[in-house]
Amino acid sequence: MYTLSLFVGLLGLVAASKPGLKFGSQKHQGVATFNDYSKQGNTVCGPMAGSSGRYGAAAGDISPDISGGKCPGSIDMSLCDGQKPKSGYRAPQCPTRNCGLCYKVTNKGGYGGSRVGGVGNHIIVEIIDSCPNVHAANFCKTEVPKEERCNSHSTNQLDIDKSAYQALTGQAFGSGPNLIIEIIPHRCN
């Protein structure tokens, strides 16, 4: 019995040592944006090794509570062509520490006070990518608030696969605003 207790205790220490694996009561507020991962073949972690009921997501690399580490690079506006990166832009290579972590995400309402349905609805997301603040696709969008483009050090941001929007809001993707969310570390069952 002592050996089993020691093994379980050590297993718990290993799980707790991985960033983001603090299951249960840790609740964080954040912003959810939405992306079409079916059109993006080069995520940091590879395609979602999924089971039904989970959605792929990218964690903002400078999010205060859910980041897997800052992506290398700097913000260089000369890489922008208006609100998007110049042709031939190469994305930064980001850390993979968050790959495979899961979070329970609850819809708390529309971003900026916008009205949205489904408040209280929740989903499980699995981290398959990073949302780097130093990626030109994010910093070039100067007309978009920093909290909605992975450029805020004070905001936990998840960029979630657009297929989750219906489950969170009861509305089709593209018909409503980004969301204010609650983020809780969760086991990937």
Side-chain angles (χ1 to χ4, degrees), residues 42-91:
N42 59 341
T43 64
V44 170
C45 309
M48 185 172 141
S51 63
S52 61
R54 288 200 313 257
Y55 299 90
D61 76 321
I62 58 172
S63 293
D65 301 305
I66 61 171
S67 172
K70 187 164 175 4
C71 302
S74 60
I75 295 175
D76 179 355
M77 297 306 283
S78 71
L79 299 172
C80 300
D81 181 10
Q83 295 290 300
K84 63 184 190 325
K86 287 183 177 178
S87 178
Y89 172 76
R90 294 187 54 134

Short mmCIF file of all heavy atoms in Angstrom, two decimals, residues 42-91:
data_model
loop_
_atom_site.label_atom_id
_atom_site.label_comp_id
_atom_site.label_asym_id
_atom_site.label_seq_id
_atom_site.Cartn_x
_atom_site.Cartn_y
_atom_site.Cartn_z
N ASN A 42 -0.17 23.89 -40.55
CA ASN A 42 1.11 23.93 -39.84
C ASN A 42 0.98 24.47 -38.42
O ASN A 42 1.54 25.48 -38.09
CB ASN A 42 2.11 24.78 -40.63
CG ASN A 42 1.63 26.20 -40.84
OD1 ASN A 42 0.45 26.49 -40.73
ND2 ASN A 42 2.54 27.09 -41.13
N THR A 43 0.27 23.75 -37.57
CA THR A 43 0.18 24.18 -36.18
C THR A 43 1.43 23.74 -35.43
O THR A 43 2.13 22.82 -35.85
CB THR A 43 -1.07 23.58 -35.48
OG1 THR A 43 -0.94 22.17 -35.43
CG2 THR A 43 -2.35 23.97 -36.20
N VAL A 44 1.74 24.40 -34.34
CA VAL A 44 2.93 24.11 -33.53
C VAL A 44 2.96 22.65 -33.09
O VAL A 44 4.00 22.01 -33.08
CB VAL A 44 2.99 25.05 -32.30
CG1 VAL A 44 4.06 24.62 -31.31
CG2 VAL A 44 3.23 26.48 -32.75
N CYS A 45 1.80 22.11 -32.72
CA CYS A 45 1.72 20.77 -32.16
C CYS A 45 1.36 19.70 -33.18
O CYS A 45 1.28 18.53 -32.84
CB CYS A 45 0.69 20.73 -31.04
SG CYS A 45 0.89 22.04 -29.81
N GLY A 46 1.09 20.10 -34.41
CA GLY A 46 0.58 19.15 -35.38
C GLY A 46 -0.94 19.14 -35.31
O GLY A 46 -1.54 19.83 -34.50
N PRO A 47 -1.58 18.33 -36.16
CA PRO A 47 -3.04 18.31 -36.15
C PRO A 47 -3.57 17.78 -34.83
O PRO A 47 -2.86 17.07 -34.12
CB PRO A 47 -3.40 17.38 -37.31
CG PRO A 47 -2.18 16.58 -37.55
CD PRO A 47 -1.01 17.40 -37.11
N MET A 48 -4.80 18.13 -34.51
CA MET A 48 -5.38 17.69 -33.24
C MET A 48 -5.54 16.18 -33.26
O MET A 48 -6.14 15.62 -34.16
CB MET A 48 -6.74 18.34 -33.01
CG MET A 48 -7.30 17.99 -31.67
SD MET A 48 -8.77 18.94 -31.32
CE MET A 48 -9.74 17.71 -30.53
N ALA A 49 -4.93 15.54 -32.25
CA ALA A 49 -5.11 14.11 -32.06
C ALA A 49 -6.40 13.96 -31.29
O ALA A 49 -6.40 13.87 -30.08
CB ALA A 49 -3.93 13.53 -31.28
N GLY A 50 -7.49 14.02 -31.99
CA GLY A 50 -8.73 14.25 -31.30
C GLY A 50 -9.61 13.07 -31.06
O GLY A 50 -9.49 12.02 -31.64
N SER A 51 -10.47 13.29 -30.15
CA SER A 51 -11.64 12.46 -29.95
C SER A 51 -12.80 13.42 -30.03
O SER A 51 -12.63 14.62 -29.87
CB SER A 51 -11.56 11.74 -28.61
OG SER A 51 -11.57 12.68 -27.57
N SER A 52 -13.96 12.91 -30.28
CA SER A 52 -15.10 13.82 -30.41
C SER A 52 -15.33 14.55 -29.09
O SER A 52 -15.03 14.05 -28.03
CB SER A 52 -16.34 13.04 -30.82
OG SER A 52 -16.64 12.08 -29.85
N GLY A 53 -15.86 15.74 -29.21
CA GLY A 53 -16.17 16.52 -28.03
C GLY A 53 -15.09 17.51 -27.65
O GLY A 53 -15.28 18.29 -26.72
N ARG A 54 -13.94 17.51 -28.32
CA ARG A 54 -12.89 18.50 -28.05
C ARG A 54 -12.65 19.31 -29.31
O ARG A 54 -12.80 18.83 -30.42
CB ARG A 54 -11.58 17.80 -27.65
CG ARG A 54 -11.64 17.20 -26.28
CD ARG A 54 -10.27 16.95 -25.69
NE ARG A 54 -9.31 16.32 -26.55
CZ ARG A 54 -8.94 15.04 -26.48
NH1 ARG A 54 -9.48 14.26 -25.58
NH2 ARG A 54 -8.03 14.56 -27.28
N TYR A 55 -12.23 20.55 -29.09
CA TYR A 55 -11.95 21.46 -30.19
C TYR A 55 -10.50 21.91 -30.09
O TYR A 55 -10.00 22.15 -29.00
CB TYR A 55 -12.87 22.68 -30.12
CG TYR A 55 -14.34 22.33 -30.23
CD1 TYR A 55 -15.09 22.04 -29.10
CD2 TYR A 55 -14.95 22.27 -31.48
CE1 TYR A 55 -16.44 21.72 -29.21
CE2 TYR A 55 -16.30 21.95 -31.59
CZ TYR A 55 -17.03 21.67 -30.45
OH TYR A 55 -18.36 21.35 -30.57
N GLY A 56 -9.83 22.07 -31.23
CA GLY A 56 -8.47 22.57 -31.25
C GLY A 56 -8.43 24.05 -30.90
O GLY A 56 -9.37 24.80 -31.19
N ALA A 57 -7.32 24.48 -30.26
CA ALA A 57 -7.17 25.89 -29.89
C ALA A 57 -5.70 26.26 -29.80
O ALA A 57 -4.84 25.39 -29.62
CB ALA A 57 -7.85 26.17 -28.55
N ALA A 58 -5.44 27.55 -29.94
CA ALA A 58 -4.10 28.10 -29.74
C ALA A 58 -4.15 29.01 -28.52
O ALA A 58 -5.07 29.81 -28.37
CB ALA A 58 -3.67 28.91 -30.97
N ALA A 59 -3.15 28.88 -27.66
CA ALA A 59 -3.05 29.76 -26.49
C ALA A 59 -2.15 30.93 -26.84
O ALA A 59 -1.10 30.75 -27.46
CB ALA A 59 -2.47 29.00 -25.29
N GLY A 60 -2.57 32.13 -26.45
CA GLY A 60 -1.74 33.31 -26.67
C GLY A 60 -0.39 33.16 -25.98
O GLY A 60 -0.33 32.79 -24.81
N ASP A 61 0.70 33.42 -26.70
CA ASP A 61 2.04 33.16 -26.14
C ASP A 61 2.42 34.13 -25.03
O ASP A 61 3.36 33.87 -24.29
CB ASP A 61 3.10 33.13 -27.23
CG ASP A 61 3.50 34.49 -27.76
OD1 ASP A 61 2.64 35.36 -27.93
OD2 ASP A 61 4.70 34.67 -28.04
N ILE A 62 1.69 35.25 -24.89
CA ILE A 62 1.98 36.16 -23.78
C ILE A 62 0.81 36.23 -22.80
O ILE A 62 0.75 37.12 -21.96
CB ILE A 62 2.38 37.57 -24.28
CG1 ILE A 62 1.28 38.20 -25.14
CG2 ILE A 62 3.72 37.52 -25.02
CD1 ILE A 62 1.53 39.66 -25.51
N SER A 63 -0.10 35.26 -22.88
CA SER A 63 -1.21 35.19 -21.92
C SER A 63 -0.64 34.99 -20.53
O SER A 63 0.25 34.15 -20.34
CB SER A 63 -2.14 34.02 -22.27
OG SER A 63 -2.80 34.26 -23.48
N PRO A 64 -1.13 35.71 -19.53
CA PRO A 64 -0.51 35.64 -18.20
C PRO A 64 -0.65 34.29 -17.49
O PRO A 64 0.22 33.93 -16.70
CB PRO A 64 -1.20 36.75 -17.41
CG PRO A 64 -2.46 37.03 -18.14
CD PRO A 64 -2.20 36.69 -19.58
N ASP A 65 -1.71 33.52 -17.76
CA ASP A 65 -1.94 32.30 -17.00
C ASP A 65 -1.92 31.02 -17.81
O ASP A 65 -1.86 29.94 -17.24
CB ASP A 65 -3.30 32.38 -16.28
CG ASP A 65 -3.38 33.56 -15.34
OD1 ASP A 65 -2.51 33.67 -14.46
OD2 ASP A 65 -4.30 34.39 -15.50
N ILE A 66 -2.00 31.09 -19.14
CA ILE A 66 -2.12 29.87 -19.95
C ILE A 66 -1.05 29.75 -21.03
O ILE A 66 -1.11 28.84 -21.85
CB ILE A 66 -3.52 29.78 -20.59
CG1 ILE A 66 -3.79 30.96 -21.53
CG2 ILE A 66 -4.60 29.66 -19.52
CD1 ILE A 66 -5.03 30.84 -22.36
N SER A 67 -0.06 30.61 -21.03
CA SER A 67 0.98 30.57 -22.07
C SER A 67 1.89 29.36 -21.88
O SER A 67 2.23 28.99 -20.78
CB SER A 67 1.82 31.85 -22.01
OG SER A 67 2.93 31.73 -22.88
N GLY A 68 2.31 28.79 -23.00
CA GLY A 68 3.30 27.71 -22.98
C GLY A 68 4.70 28.23 -23.21
O GLY A 68 5.64 27.46 -23.38
N GLY A 69 4.87 29.53 -23.22
CA GLY A 69 6.17 30.15 -23.45
C GLY A 69 6.10 31.12 -24.61
O GLY A 69 5.36 30.93 -25.57
N LYS A 70 6.88 32.19 -24.51
CA LYS A 70 6.89 33.24 -25.53
C LYS A 70 7.58 32.75 -26.79
O LYS A 70 8.61 32.09 -26.74
CB LYS A 70 7.60 34.48 -24.99
CG LYS A 70 7.51 35.65 -25.94
CD LYS A 70 7.87 36.94 -25.26
CE LYS A 70 7.90 38.13 -26.17
NZ LYS A 70 7.52 38.00 -27.52
N CYS A 71 7.00 33.06 -27.91
CA CYS A 71 7.59 32.72 -29.21
C CYS A 71 8.69 33.73 -29.51
O CYS A 71 8.57 34.91 -29.18
CB CYS A 71 6.53 32.78 -30.30
SG CYS A 71 5.13 31.66 -30.00
N PRO A 72 9.79 33.29 -30.14
CA PRO A 72 10.88 34.22 -30.44
C PRO A 72 10.51 35.19 -31.55
O PRO A 72 9.68 34.88 -32.39
CB PRO A 72 12.02 33.29 -30.88
CG PRO A 72 11.33 32.09 -31.42
CD PRO A 72 10.07 31.94 -30.61
N GLY A 73 11.13 36.34 -31.52
CA GLY A 73 10.90 37.34 -32.56
C GLY A 73 10.54 38.68 -31.96
O GLY A 73 10.54 38.86 -30.75
N SER A 74 10.26 39.61 -32.84
CA SER A 74 9.88 40.95 -32.40
C SER A 74 8.82 41.51 -33.35
O SER A 74 8.62 40.99 -34.44
CB SER A 74 11.11 41.87 -32.37
OG SER A 74 11.66 41.96 -33.67
N ILE A 75 8.16 42.55 -32.89
CA ILE A 75 7.16 43.20 -33.72
C ILE A 75 7.87 44.17 -34.66
O ILE A 75 8.55 45.09 -34.21
CB ILE A 75 6.11 43.92 -32.83
CG1 ILE A 75 5.35 42.87 -32.03
CG2 ILE A 75 5.18 44.79 -33.66
CD1 ILE A 75 4.38 43.43 -31.02
N ASP A 76 7.72 43.92 -35.94
CA ASP A 76 8.38 44.71 -36.98
C ASP A 76 7.34 45.10 -38.03
O ASP A 76 6.98 44.29 -38.89
CB ASP A 76 9.51 43.88 -37.62
CG ASP A 76 10.24 44.62 -38.72
OD1 ASP A 76 9.84 45.76 -39.09
OD2 ASP A 76 11.22 44.05 -39.23
N MET A 77 6.83 46.31 -37.92
CA MET A 77 5.75 46.76 -38.79
C MET A 77 6.15 46.82 -40.27
O MET A 77 5.28 46.86 -41.13
CB MET A 77 5.21 48.12 -38.32
CG MET A 77 4.59 48.09 -36.92
SD MET A 77 3.30 46.85 -36.69
CE MET A 77 1.94 47.64 -37.52
N SER A 78 7.44 46.78 -40.58
CA SER A 78 7.86 46.76 -41.99
C SER A 78 7.48 45.43 -42.66
O SER A 78 7.55 45.32 -43.88
CB SER A 78 9.37 47.00 -42.11
OG SER A 78 10.10 45.88 -41.66
N LEU A 79 7.07 44.44 -41.87
CA LEU A 79 6.65 43.14 -42.41
C LEU A 79 5.16 43.13 -42.78
O LEU A 79 4.65 42.13 -43.25
CB LEU A 79 6.92 42.02 -41.39
CG LEU A 79 8.39 41.83 -41.01
CD1 LEU A 79 8.52 40.83 -39.87
CD2 LEU A 79 9.18 41.36 -42.23
N CYS A 80 4.50 44.28 -42.56
CA CYS A 80 3.06 44.37 -42.81
C CYS A 80 2.77 44.99 -44.17
O CYS A 80 3.45 45.89 -44.62
CB CYS A 80 2.38 45.21 -41.73
SG CYS A 80 2.58 44.57 -40.06
N ASP A 81 1.71 44.48 -44.78
CA ASP A 81 1.14 45.04 -46.00
C ASP A 81 -0.29 45.43 -45.62
O ASP A 81 -1.21 44.63 -45.74
CB ASP A 81 1.17 44.00 -47.12
CG ASP A 81 0.60 44.54 -48.42
OD1 ASP A 81 0.36 45.76 -48.53
OD2 ASP A 81 0.41 43.72 -49.35
N GLY A 82 -0.43 46.62 -45.09
CA GLY A 82 -1.71 47.04 -44.55
C GLY A 82 -2.00 46.28 -43.26
O GLY A 82 -1.18 46.25 -42.35
N GLN A 83 -3.12 45.57 -43.21
CA GLN A 83 -3.55 44.84 -42.01
C GLN A 83 -3.14 43.37 -42.05
O GLN A 83 -3.58 42.58 -41.21
CB GLN A 83 -5.07 44.95 -41.86
CG GLN A 83 -5.57 46.35 -41.58
CD GLN A 83 -5.17 46.83 -40.20
OE1 GLN A 83 -5.53 46.26 -39.20
NE2 GLN A 83 -4.39 47.90 -40.16
N LYS A 84 -2.28 42.98 -43.00
CA LYS A 84 -1.85 41.58 -43.08
C LYS A 84 -0.35 41.51 -43.37
O LYS A 84 0.26 42.51 -43.75
CB LYS A 84 -2.66 40.85 -44.15
CG LYS A 84 -2.48 41.38 -45.56
CD LYS A 84 -3.40 40.64 -46.51
CE LYS A 84 -3.22 40.87 -47.96
NZ LYS A 84 -2.83 42.07 -48.53
N PRO A 85 0.25 40.32 -43.18
CA PRO A 85 1.69 40.19 -43.47
C PRO A 85 1.98 40.31 -44.95
O PRO A 85 1.14 39.99 -45.80
CB PRO A 85 2.03 38.77 -42.99
CG PRO A 85 0.85 38.27 -42.26
CD PRO A 85 -0.32 39.10 -42.65
N LYS A 86 3.19 40.77 -45.26
CA LYS A 86 3.64 40.81 -46.65
C LYS A 86 3.77 39.39 -47.18
O LYS A 86 3.99 38.44 -46.42
CB LYS A 86 4.99 41.52 -46.75
CG LYS A 86 4.90 43.00 -46.57
CD LYS A 86 6.26 43.66 -46.77
CE LYS A 86 6.13 45.17 -46.65
NZ LYS A 86 7.44 45.83 -46.78
N SER A 87 3.67 39.25 -48.47
CA SER A 87 3.84 37.96 -49.13
C SER A 87 5.22 37.38 -48.79
O SER A 87 6.21 38.10 -48.75
CB SER A 87 3.71 38.14 -50.65
OG SER A 87 3.91 36.93 -51.31
N GLY A 88 5.29 36.09 -48.52
CA GLY A 88 6.54 35.43 -48.20
C GLY A 88 6.92 35.48 -46.72
O GLY A 88 7.98 34.98 -46.33
N TYR A 89 6.08 36.08 -45.89
CA TYR A 89 6.38 36.17 -44.45
C TYR A 89 6.52 34.77 -43.86
O TYR A 89 5.76 33.87 -44.16
CB TYR A 89 5.25 36.93 -43.74
CG TYR A 89 5.38 36.92 -42.24
CD1 TYR A 89 6.31 37.72 -41.61
CD2 TYR A 89 4.60 36.07 -41.46
CE1 TYR A 89 6.46 37.69 -40.22
CE2 TYR A 89 4.73 36.04 -40.09
CZ TYR A 89 5.66 36.86 -39.47
OH TYR A 89 5.80 36.81 -38.11
N ARG A 90 7.52 34.60 -42.97
CA ARG A 90 7.74 33.32 -42.28
C ARG A 90 7.39 33.47 -40.80
O ARG A 90 7.92 34.35 -40.13
CB ARG A 90 9.18 32.87 -42.44
CG ARG A 90 9.51 32.54 -43.90
CD ARG A 90 10.87 31.96 -43.99
NE ARG A 90 10.93 30.83 -43.07
CZ ARG A 90 11.44 29.66 -43.37
NH1 ARG A 90 11.94 29.46 -44.54
NH2 ARG A 90 11.48 28.70 -42.48
N ALA A 91 6.52 32.60 -40.33
CA ALA A 91 6.05 32.64 -38.94
C ALA A 91 7.15 32.20 -37.97
O ALA A 91 8.03 31.42 -38.34
CB ALA A 91 4.85 31.73 -38.78
#
